[in-house]
Amino acid sequence: MSNLDRQAALSVCGGRGFVVGEPVRELLTPRHVQLGESTEVRRLLPNLGRRMVGAWAFVDHYGPDDIADEPGMQVPPHPHMGLQTVSWLHDGEVLHRDSLGSLRTIRPRELGLMTSGRAISHSEESPKPHARFLHGAQLWVALPDAHRNVEPHFQHHTDLPTVTAPGLEATVILGELDGARSPGTAYTPIIGADLALTAGAEARLPLDPDFEYAVLSMSGEAEVDGVPVLPGSMLYLGCGRAELPLRAGSDAGLMLLGGEPFEEEIVMWWNFVGRSHEEIEQARTDWTTGTRFGEVEGYDGGRLPAPALPPVALKPRGRVR
Ligand code: MN
């Protein structure tokens, strides 16, 4: 998905200084962002109070939306730089096309992982015909300096490892959880896992004390470390935890996001992650002039124009506003 916000805000984030080194319970409320005519997403990262969780730098939750008589998701070709995109669905499907020639339909509980490296462009759309409901999350992972210029590539994994406990099935999307490792390529120590809880479940999830974590609720009634987290909200948990207590009052769907605190300071604007204002400006120019980001074949419509850059120079700084 693209950041379709026409007043694309600039985010500067990363750096060790703002990581909470101890367990906390900080409830992040979403910002509602309109995507096109019919779709509204709930943006959890970047958030007013917090911009990253490990290398996770962008989290949108959308749906469930009834799109039976609607086009559904229609995100025209747009560029990315310096990040990976993770597509994760609970309902429906998304047709992915990119400038490498990839053409894939991502379905629920399959990993669509696009590594932009230095430059890629892609489009995402609800196929025709499509399922009635669309429900998912779109996430970005910042690439570390050593790998941010890797060759762009796209991975589609339909069979991800799971970890089970009574009332809990965890699907490992990225990184490793309790000995189960995702086949998706990760460039920093990171975890992304889908947590499916059944009504009445009480579970304790093993965590890495050196990671910072957050849990996004996608559906149902769940308590994370004793805090009720409503669908579309995210609880930031800090670091220093060896385990995480979970309870479900109904069937519930959560996402665990975590990782080693991202020490590099980054500049994030529109669909780009860079290290300086000049880099971002160059990427915007390259997209506008049709160089570097390649061509997406087969999308029925034009490409997404870049918004205007904010008038002030972008400087990298800390993780919390
Ligand atoms: Mn995108």
Side-chain angles (χ1 to χ4, degrees):
M1 190 175 294
S2 167
N3 184 352
L4 290 181
D5 203 339
R6 296 311 298 171
Q7 283 88 47
L10 166 79
S11 273
V12 277
C13 32
R16 187 89 201 185
F18 294 96
V19 176
V20 181
E22 58 192 8
V24 291
R25 295 178 295 184
E26 187 182 302
L27 197 58
L28 304 178
T29 51
R31 188 162 69 91
H32 295 261
V33 179
Q34 197 73 27
L35 290 191
E37 288 170 17
S38 59
T39 313
E40 188 188 79
V41 304
R42 290 167 292 279
R43 182 152 305 153
L44 283 314
L45 284 183
N47 198 289
L48 203 59
R50 188 151 296 281
R51 289 180 171 155
M52 294 183 83
V53 177
W56 298 98
F58 184 94
V59 177
D60 270 357
H61 173 235
Y62 55 91
D65 292 324
D66 185 342
I67 59 166
D69 302 314
E70 298 185 36
M73 182 184 288
Q74 297 295 328
V75 183
H78 60 276
H80 285 292
M81 167 181 87
L83 55 83
Q84 295 176 291
T85 66
V86 173
S87 302
W88 189 251
L89 290 170
H90 276 186
D91 274 305
E93 59 279 291
V94 170
L95 178 61
H96 165 97
R97 305 173 194 268
D98 65 39
S99 52
L100 307 173
S102 314
L103 178 64
R104 289 296 187 120
T105 302
I106 313 299
R107 297 193 163 79
R109 297 175 195 285
E110 299 178 353
L111 171 61
L113 176 64
M114 185 178 79
T115 302
S116 77
R118 58 180 299 276
I120 201 168
S121 56
H122 73 148
S123 64
E124 291 154 295
E125 63 197 287
S126 296
K128 298 176 198 120
H130 53 248
R132 177 169 182 179
F133 289 102
L134 180 62
H135 182 201
Q138 177 70 19
L139 311 99
W140 297 352
V141 178
L143 289 170
D145 196 47
H147 298 289
R148 67 194 182 99
N149 291 314
V150 295
E151 284 303 303
H153 57 100
F154 182 76
Q155 295 174 293
H156 181 198
H157 294 287
T158 58
D159 190 17
L160 296 170
T162 57
V163 175
T164 56
L168 168 69
E169 182 173 67
T171 304
V172 187
I173 300 168
L174 207 56
E176 182 185 335
L177 181 70
D178 203 19
R181 175 167 284 279
S182 163
T185 304
Y187 294 90
T188 49
I190 196 168
I191 180 65
D194 183 277
L195 311 175
L197 293 157
T198 54
E202 292 197 30
R204 296 180 96 78
L205 207 61
L207 300 185
D208 181 336
D210 293 333
F211 279 19
E212 62 175 341
Y213 289 96
V215 171
L216 166 72
S217 171
M218 290 181 63
S219 63
E221 295 167 23
E223 281 181 18
V224 179
D225 195 19
V227 179
V229 184
L230 295 173
S233 303
M234 193 160 84
L235 187 70
Y236 176 73
L237 294 159
C239 300
R241 293 172 181 270
E243 60 175 19
L244 183 63
L246 301 169
R247 294 174 56 144
S250 69
D251 288 357
L254 309 175
M255 280 185 90
L256 174 73
L257 304 174
E260 205 168 77
F262 196 83
E263 305 221 358
E264 298 167 22
E265 296 188 338
I266 62 176
V267 178
M268 192 162 105
W269 177 80
W270 195 38
N271 297 311
F272 305 132
V273 169
R275 297 298 184 275
S276 68
H277 183 96
E278 292 69 29
E279 261 181 39
I280 298 285
E281 205 167 31
Q282 188 62 52
R284 185 188 183 282
T285 300
D286 289 346
W287 175 247
T288 302
T289 56
T291 50
R292 179 169 150 194
F293 291 97
E295 293 288 333
V296 178
E297 302 286 335
Y299 183 81
D300 185 14
R303 349 184 299 157
L304 205 63
L309 265 170
V312 290
L314 326 172
K315 285 196 179 132
R317 52 183 164 104
R319 306 167 54 85
V320 182
R321 181 168 289 176

